[in-house]
Amino acid sequence: MEGEPRAYPALPAIIQGGMGVGVSNWTLARAVASLGQLGVVSCTVVDTVFVRRLQDGDPGGHMRRAMAAFPIPGVAERVMQQFFRPEGRPPGTPYKQLPMYQHIVDKGREQLAILAAFVEVHLAKEGHDGPVGVNLLTKVQLPNLALLYGAMLAGVDFVLMGAGIPREIPKVLDAFAEQRMVAVRLEVEDRQADTPEMFSLDPRVHWEGTPPPLKRPKFLPIISSHSLATMLVRKADGRVDGFVVEGPTAGGHNAPPRGELKLNERGEPVYGERDEADFSKIAELGLPFWIAGGTGTPEGLAQARALGAQGIQVGTLFAYCDESGITSELKRSVLAAVVEGKADVKTDALASPTGFPFKVVQWADDPATKVNRKRVCDLGYLRVAYAMPNGRVGYRCPSEPEAEFVAKGGAIEETVGRKCLCNALLSTIGQPQERKDGPSEPPLVTSGDELVRLGRFLEGRSSYTAADALAWLLSPVATTPAS
Ligand SMILES: Cc1cc2nc3c(=O)[nH]c(=O)nc-3n(C[C@H](O)[C@H](O)[C@H](O)COP(=O)(O)O)c2cc1C
């Protein structure tokens, strides 16, 4: 039946995509969810975003309001003492950093990550009963258990994870719903031995008595191929509830092309027919799915439904609305360039330390073009674990200074063109680290290829709300799309 969800009427037609770092924050997700569509908070790096908000004085008191609802005793008070600055930071003062997450983590650091995810989801759910989801990158392995647990403590309805194969996540959600300990495999590079390294989270160590069971959220892996969808249905450790099928035009990280990597004259990965997901095969799996990547238009929604999808996941259109975390200056500057036809989106094969292609917006007024970006790894979310010669686990990131990366056994080729996305993306949401030896960290803006066509929706406006975006996406389509 065209124009209507086929078999899952209770599910939303539109997912506002998770956008890290802090772009899809609680304000955006709440705006979307309160209108009945799926609002998704990004919890990638959310623990650092959270302690930086506290250090900036927590304008509006939202962090403190949500912290007061956190159910594990004593944690919020300790975090307030460590990070809250009622007057904010004096100009030029660097943010106090969190210790980098490790696979063996102390209780306090784990609790801080649980609290940060709780706060973000709690606020996104405040004042309405629409659905709220959480987005995490599978590759950022270490804090994910704590973040999932915190999101579940706040009653999150959906978990969406891409950038890797989230095969073990269903069992994590099942375990946390019963307040059970869960252990997952840690990917360790250069490891010779067969025994896998594991890391774990045990909810019971954080409570005195027996904590009450939690709701098990629906799990939607973000995938780019039907073969991965089939594999996850058959081989994931537990139940998968549907899929987001994301193509290579989407904002943020993209799945690399299949086969040998070929670059075009702009240095972008070349995608071909083999990279196109077969939606009929995905529909045959009998689970709801949403199509992402260039689908954020009324026609995109109609076409997705004609292909058997429940709806669409949209990023770029929401990234520039008033509620998103990108600073107003950057939003204004990029949208002005879009209207003038002077914004460009490049699929950068090198920028991300993950090695996945990453979309980068290029425009004349990009403040980052005026500053030299330094090689650094002081936040550590994109580090990978590797086996040190003594057999212990160490961590390295291809965006750290070359000599340090190579001293840890990393290959020099891997460092070429890499940027510290952790720091750059925090700057994009107005939380740049101050550097004693130079200017503060420059921003980096990511968007999907559709950005350059946003003028059609803007119709002369220089700003808009999430509600404007939703009303447009749900508006009638003039002609019936071909299926
Ligand atoms: C600013 C921005 C940041 C993004 N960050 C993430 C992310 O952290 N995790 C993720 O799974 N997808 C991320 N995405 C992808 C979106 O969730 C969504 O799937 C995608 O943007 C859809 O394509 P569209 O941009 O053409 O609408 C991001 C997209 C944008 C625009």
Side-chain angles (χ1 to χ4, degrees):
M1 192 167 43
E2 219 156 75
E4 289 295 321
R6 288 195 327 162
Y8 313 97
L11 292 171
I14 296 171
I15 302 178
Q16 160 260 306
M19 296 181 279
V21 169
V23 174
S24 61
N25 53 21
W26 63 270
T27 329
L28 173 56
R30 188 169 72 172
V32 172
S34 62
L35 292 167
Q37 303 299 332
L38 178 52
V40 178
V41 293
S42 164
C43 272
T44 303
V45 191
V46 76
D47 43 358
T48 289
V49 173
F50 166 66
V51 297
R52 289 190 178 189
R53 288 183 190 143
L54 289 178
Q55 291 174 71
D56 287 335
D58 184 23
H62 305 295
M63 300 299 106
R64 282 165 287 164
R65 188 170 73 252
M67 287 165 88
F70 188 60
I72 303 177
V75 178
E77 293 76 5
R78 181 177 48 80
V79 171
M80 280 293 286
Q81 269 175 6
Q82 284 178 328
F83 292 99
F84 182 53
R85 297 182 79 139
E87 312 296 330
R89 283 169 311 136
T93 313
Y95 285 109
K96 186 171 163 186
Q97 308 267 49
L98 286 170
M100 292 193 212
Y101 222 94
Q102 308 215 356
H103 70 295
I104 299 168
V105 64
D106 75 66
K107 193 172 163 186
R109 180 70 180 85
E110 185 166 87
Q111 286 179 335
L112 193 140
I114 296 172
L115 172 65
F118 172 89
V119 164
E120 204 69 10
V121 173
H122 178 83
L123 291 171
K125 286 185 80 74
E126 211 177 37
H128 62 87
D129 55 10
V132 168
V134 67
N135 177 281
L136 291 167
L137 298 183
T138 309
K139 270 229 164 187
V140 184
Q141 286 197 288
L142 297 169
N144 283 351
L145 292 182
L147 297 171
L148 284 169
Y149 184 61
M152 285 178 65
L153 281 181
V156 77
D157 304 293
F158 288 81
V159 168
L160 300 96
M161 289 179 68
I165 303 177
R167 193 167 146 171
E168 290 180 287
I169 299 302
K171 85 169 178 205
V172 172
L173 305 181
D174 293 340
F176 288 165
E178 295 170 7
Q179 301 277 12
R180 273 190 288 113
M181 199 265 259
V182 73
V184 297
R185 203 186 172 105
L186 176 71
E187 299 295 328
V188 182
E189 292 183 351
D190 307 341
R191 165 125 308 167
Q192 310 294 340
D194 293 335
T195 38
E197 189 78 43
M198 307 294 282
F199 66 105
S200 60
L201 187 147
D202 187 353
R204 288 163 307 186
V205 305
H206 298 294
W207 300 87
E208 283 193 355
T210 311
L214 301 171
K215 182 175 77 186
R216 197 270 197 195
K218 290 193 190 312
F219 179 52
L220 307 179
I222 303 169
I223 46 129
S224 61
S225 71
H226 48 271
S227 49
L228 187 50
T230 308
M231 189 282 259
L232 283 166
V233 168
R234 293 201 185 132
K235 297 202 176 138
D237 296 336
R239 195 183 81 228
V240 165
D241 299 287
F243 294 99
V244 172
V245 189
E246 194 185 70
T249 62
H253 283 99
N254 301 136
R258 289 176 153 216
E260 199 195 331
L261 180 67
K262 292 201 186 93
L263 301 179
N264 66 16
E265 63 288 352
R266 281 161 48 101
E268 300 171 310
V270 179
Y271 291 87
E273 264 176 33
R274 285 176 67 200
D275 299 303
E276 280 168 28
D278 183 335
F279 295 112
S280 62
K281 291 219 170 77
I282 291 173
E284 277 167 22
L285 295 171
L287 292 173
F289 64 98
W290 289 259
I291 306 180
T295 54
T297 58
E299 295 79 13
L301 176 56
Q303 272 157 13
R305 286 183 163 176
L307 288 165
Q310 174 71 20
I312 51 177
Q313 172 169 286
V314 180
T316 302
L317 180 65
F318 288 110
Y320 293 89
C321 73
D322 295 345
E323 294 89 342
S324 100
I326 299 181
T327 63
S328 332
E329 295 76 22
L330 282 171
K331 280 184 217 168
R332 252 199 312 275
S333 176
V334 173
L335 289 181
V338 167
V339 170
E340 287 172 26
K342 290 184 179 158
D344 184 28
V345 178
K346 180 177 175 187
T347 310
D348 193 324
L350 300 175
S352 172
T354 63
F356 287 153
F358 189 72
K359 289 269 191 309
V360 180
V361 180
Q362 298 182 323
W363 79 110
D365 293 331
D366 179 358
T369 53
K370 298 168 187 77
V371 191
N372 273 338
R373 208 181 280 281
K374 289 231 168 73
R375 297 189 68 86
V376 61
C377 179
D378 59 0
L379 294 162
Y381 293 92
L382 293 176
R383 294 179 310 164
V384 291
Y386 73 99
M388 299 197 286
N390 63 8
R392 294 176 57 188
V393 172
Y395 298 95
R396 64 189 177 211
C397 177
S399 77
E400 69 190 318
E402 288 95 341
E404 287 170 33
F405 185 69
V406 172
K408 295 177 187 169
I412 186 78
E413 309 81 73
E414 273 188 57
T415 63
V416 178
R418 296 289 197 259
K419 298 185 170 74
C420 174
L421 291 191
C422 301
N423 270 290
L425 295 176
L426 282 162
S427 175
T428 307
I429 60 162
Q431 297 186 335
Q433 183 58 299
E434 300 293 342
R435 304 278 178 210
K436 288 199 188 76
D437 49 352
S440 54
E441 187 71 33
L444 189 152
V445 184
T446 177
S447 291
D449 293 344
E450 271 304 298
L451 172 72
V452 299
R453 283 176 282 280
L454 223 54
R456 180 189 151 208
F457 159 71
L458 289 172
E459 286 185 328
R461 277 175 299 194
S462 58
S463 69
Y464 57 95
T465 62
D468 295 333
L470 282 176
W472 184 60
L473 291 173
L474 292 166
S475 63
V477 177
T479 50
T480 313
S483 56

